C-alpha cells in the first residue's frame, strides 16, 4: 500500500460495507482529491456481485456496484410479467444482498443505479420509497446514489426534475448522479446513436452548462456529474470516438472560478470507459473523475471465460455420459463450475481496472 493510500485509510477509517450519506461523500471526495477513481460495474445477479466484491477484496480497493434497469429486472426474474415491479424488486433484492455480504469483504462499496431516463423515473421513485422504509428500519438507505439521465431534454427541464428528486433523496443520505451532454451508444435501452464520420458535437458538454447545474443542485444535496467529453457506451472502432478530457478540466475551472471551492469542486463520472486509451483515462482522473463505468469489458470478460471453458469441455455440454470415456460429465457442467470460471474472468479483468484507475491498495475501510 502506498503512503498516500495509508494516509487516506487512516484518516477516514470507514466501516466496511455499503457507504451512504456523509461516508459516501467522504469516499467520493477522497478519490477525487487524491487522484484516483473506482471502477463501476453493472451486475445482474449474485454471481457478478460476488465476483466484484472478491476482486475488490483481493486488490484492497473500494468499488462501485450498480444496476441498470434491465439488470434489476433480470435479478428479479425475467418470468415476472410486471416489468416495472420487477425493476424495483430486483434492485431492492440486489441491494439487500450487497448490504448483507459486503462488509465481510473488508472494503467500502458504493451502491448505485445506472441511467434512468424520463420513462424510468417511476423506477427511481420506487427505490426511494424502499429506502425510506429502510431508513426507518436500519437508519441507512438501500442505495448510496441514483443516476437520472435527462441529457436528451432541455437543460432547464433536466435540472428541474433532478432537483425535485434530490429533495427527496438528500434527507435519506442518497446522492444524485446527473448527465450533461449525451454519451453515445446504448446502455440497456438508453442511449444515443453514434453517427460514423459525424461531428457528434452533442457528445461534448459545455462548461457553462455544468456550472448552471452545479449551482442549482449542489445546495440541495450531494451531486456527481457525468459530463460528456466524447465518450460512448460499448466498444467502437478506432477513429469513431475522440475523447477530449480537457472538457472536464475546463468544467472544473468554470465552477472553481464561480464558487471559490478549490481547484476541483466537481466529482466527475466517466461513462463508457470500456476500451478507452490508458492515457485518456489517466488524464480524465487527474481532472476529478472518481468513477469510471466499464460494463462492456466486464461482460466480455465473463462471457469469454465461460466460452473458453465450454469449448474446452464441449463433450460435457452435449452428453451427460461422455462418449469418449463412458463416464458421467456432471462435474464439468455443474453450473457452479462454469459460473465460477466466469466470476474469475471478472476478477481478473477488474484487477487491471483497479490498477489503471490508481485504486489498488487504497481502500478507506478500517480493519475490523
Amino acid at each position: 500500500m502506498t503512503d498516500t493510500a495509508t494516509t487516506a485509510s487512516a484518516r477516514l477509517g470507514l466501516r466496511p460495507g455499503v457507504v451512504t450519506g456523509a461516508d459516501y461523500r467522504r469516499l467520493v471526495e477522497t478519490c477525487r482529491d487524491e487522484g484516483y477513481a473506482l471502477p463501476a460495474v453493472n451486475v445482474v445477479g449474485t454471481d457478478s456481485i460476488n465476483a466484484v466484491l472478491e476482486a475488490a477484496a483481493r486488490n484492497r480497493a473500494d468499488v462501485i456496484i450498480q444496476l441498470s434497469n434491465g439488470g434489476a429486472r433480470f435479478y428479479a426474474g425475467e418470468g415476472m410479467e410486471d416489468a416495472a415491479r420487477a425493476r424495483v424488486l430486483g434492485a431492492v433484492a440486489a441491494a439487500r444482498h450487497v448490504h448483507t455480504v459486503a462488509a465481510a469483504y473488508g472494503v467500502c462499496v458504493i451502491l448505485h443505479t445506472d441511467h434512468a431516463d424520463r420513462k424510468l423515473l417511476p423506477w427511481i421513485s420506487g427505490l426511494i420509497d424502499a429506502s425510506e422504509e429502510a431508513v426507518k428500519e436500519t437508519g441507512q438507505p438501500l442505495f448510496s446514489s441514483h443516476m437520472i439521465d435527462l441529457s436528451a431534454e432541455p437543460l432547464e427541464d433536466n435540472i428541474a426534475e433532478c432537483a425535485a428528486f434530490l429533495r427527496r433523496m438528500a434527507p435519506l443520505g442518497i446522492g444524485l448522479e446527473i448527465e450533461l451532454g449525451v454519451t453515445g451508444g446504448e446502455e440497456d435501452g438508453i442511449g444515443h446513436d453514434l453517427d460514423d464520420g459525424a461531428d457528434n458535437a452533442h457528445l461534448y458538454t459545455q462548461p457553462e452548462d455544468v456550472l448552471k447545474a452545479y449551482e442549482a443542485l449542489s445546495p440541495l444535496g450531494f451531486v456527481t456529474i457525468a459530463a460528456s467529453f466524447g465518450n460512448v457506451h460499448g466498444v467502437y472502432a478506432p477513429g469513431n470516438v475522440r475523447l477530449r478530457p480537457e472538457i472536464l478540466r475546463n468544467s472544473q475551472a468554470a465552477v472553481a472560478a464561480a464558487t471559490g471551492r478549490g481547484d476541483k469542486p466537481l466529482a466527475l463520472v466517466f461513462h463508457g470507459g470500456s476500451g478507452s486509451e490508458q492515457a485518456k483515462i489517466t488524464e480524465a482522473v487527474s481532472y476529478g473523475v472518481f468513477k469510471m463505468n466499464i460494463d462492456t469489458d466486464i461482460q466480455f470478460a465473463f462471457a469469454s471465460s465461460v466460452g473458453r471453458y465450454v469449448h474446452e469441455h464441449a463433450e460435457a455440454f452435449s452428453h451427460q455420459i461422455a462418449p469418449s470415456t463412458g463416464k458421467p460429465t456432471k462435474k464439468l457442467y455443474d453450473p457452479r463450475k462454469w459460473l465460477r470460471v466466469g466470476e474469475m474472468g471478472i476478477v481478473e479483468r477488474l484487477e487491471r481496472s483497479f490498477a489503471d484507475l490508481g485504486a489498488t491498495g487504497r481502500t478507506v475501510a478500517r480493519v475490523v
Side-chain angles (χ1 to χ4, degrees):
M1 186 179 290
T2 65
D3 290 342
T4 301
T6 302
T7 300
S9 179
R11 185 176 70 252
L12 294 183
L14 301 184
R15 178 179 298 177
V18 177
V19 292
T20 59
D23 285 350
Y24 160 64
R25 182 168 187 158
R26 290 166 73 193
L27 173 53
V28 170
E29 291 180 342
T30 296
C31 294
R32 177 198 65 192
D33 296 345
E34 297 190 357
Y36 68 99
L38 306 179
V41 186
N42 286 52
V43 296
V44 297
T46 56
D47 303 301
S48 48
I49 289 172
N50 295 345
V52 173
L53 291 171
E54 180 178 351
R58 284 189 177 206
N59 289 276
R60 295 299 299 150
D62 303 316
V63 74
I64 301 169
I65 292 176
Q66 59 188 27
L67 289 118
S68 67
N69 74 94
R73 180 181 179 182
F74 187 85
Y75 199 100
E78 292 288 340
M80 192 176 295
E81 292 185 5
D82 187 337
R85 188 178 183 213
R87 290 185 192 105
V88 173
L89 292 178
V92 169
R96 293 196 183 282
H97 175 75
V98 177
H99 277 269
T100 300
V101 302
Y105 285 86
V107 296
C108 292
V109 177
I110 292 172
L111 192 51
H112 180 70
T113 57
D114 207 0
H115 296 266
D117 59 10
R118 186 165 292 279
K119 69 179 180 293
L120 288 169
L121 292 182
W123 174 47
I124 301 301
S125 185
L127 294 180
I128 296 172
D129 291 341
S131 276
E132 288 174 341
E133 292 303 311
V135 168
K136 292 176 185 177
E137 295 171 4
T138 69
Q140 187 178 26
L142 289 176
F143 287 88
S144 312
S145 56
H146 295 297
M147 181 187 185
I148 294 178
D149 179 1
L150 301 180
S151 57
E153 301 188 14
L155 180 63
E156 292 74 14
D157 295 345
N158 186 348
I159 292 173
E161 194 68 68
C162 286
F165 272 84
L166 189 54
R167 289 188 181 96
R168 286 191 65 195
M169 293 158 59
L172 301 173
I174 304 173
L176 173 68
E177 178 186 324
I178 66 169
E179 182 156 335
L180 300 174
V182 298
T183 301
E186 180 183 307
E187 180 68 38
D188 224 340
I190 301 173
H192 310 271
D193 291 335
L194 182 68
D195 300 322
D196 292 344
D199 176 45
N200 288 312
H202 59 293
L203 297 180
Y204 303 102
T205 301
Q206 300 305 308
E208 55 267 28
D209 291 345
V210 176
L211 175 59
K212 184 178 292 187
Y214 181 82
E215 289 183 327
L217 297 173
S218 62
L220 305 177
F222 187 56
V223 179
T224 64
I225 297 177
S228 300
F229 56 100
N231 37 327
V232 301
H233 294 123
V235 177
Y236 285 81
N240 277 15
V241 178
R242 183 187 171 209
L243 293 178
R244 295 175 55 198
E246 67 271 15
I247 286 175
L248 305 180
R249 179 194 62 207
N250 295 341
S251 295
Q252 292 282 21
V255 175
T259 65
R261 295 179 182 174
D263 295 335
K264 293 190 290 189
L266 302 170
L268 297 169
V269 175
F270 184 163
H271 278 246
S274 293
S276 298
E277 301 171 40
Q278 181 58 45
K280 296 296 185 182
I281 293 173
T282 302
E283 185 180 358
V285 171
S286 76
Y287 298 145
V289 164
F290 80 94
K291 169 181 184 265
M292 188 176 82
N293 291 11
I294 53 168
D295 181 43
T296 302
D297 281 353
I298 298 301
Q299 286 183 346
F300 185 74
F302 180 90
S304 60
S305 298
V306 172
R308 283 191 297 272
Y309 178 85
V310 172
H311 179 73
E312 291 166 2
H313 304 284
E315 195 174 52
F317 286 85
S318 56
H319 301 280
Q320 288 185 295
I321 302 296
S324 62
T325 65
K327 295 180 180 179
T329 58
K330 184 180 185 300
K331 289 184 178 180
L332 294 173
Y333 65 74
D334 181 335
R336 289 171 296 180
K337 291 289 186 179
W338 53 267
L339 283 172
R340 180 57 179 163
V341 170
E343 288 178 353
M344 288 309 300
I346 292 175
V347 171
E348 290 165 9
R349 178 61 183 83
L350 275 174
E351 181 171 0
R352 195 168 92 216
S353 295
F354 287 122
D356 290 347
L357 295 169
T360 304
R362 304 183 81 141
T363 181
V364 297
R366 67 173 181 261
V367 177
V368 294

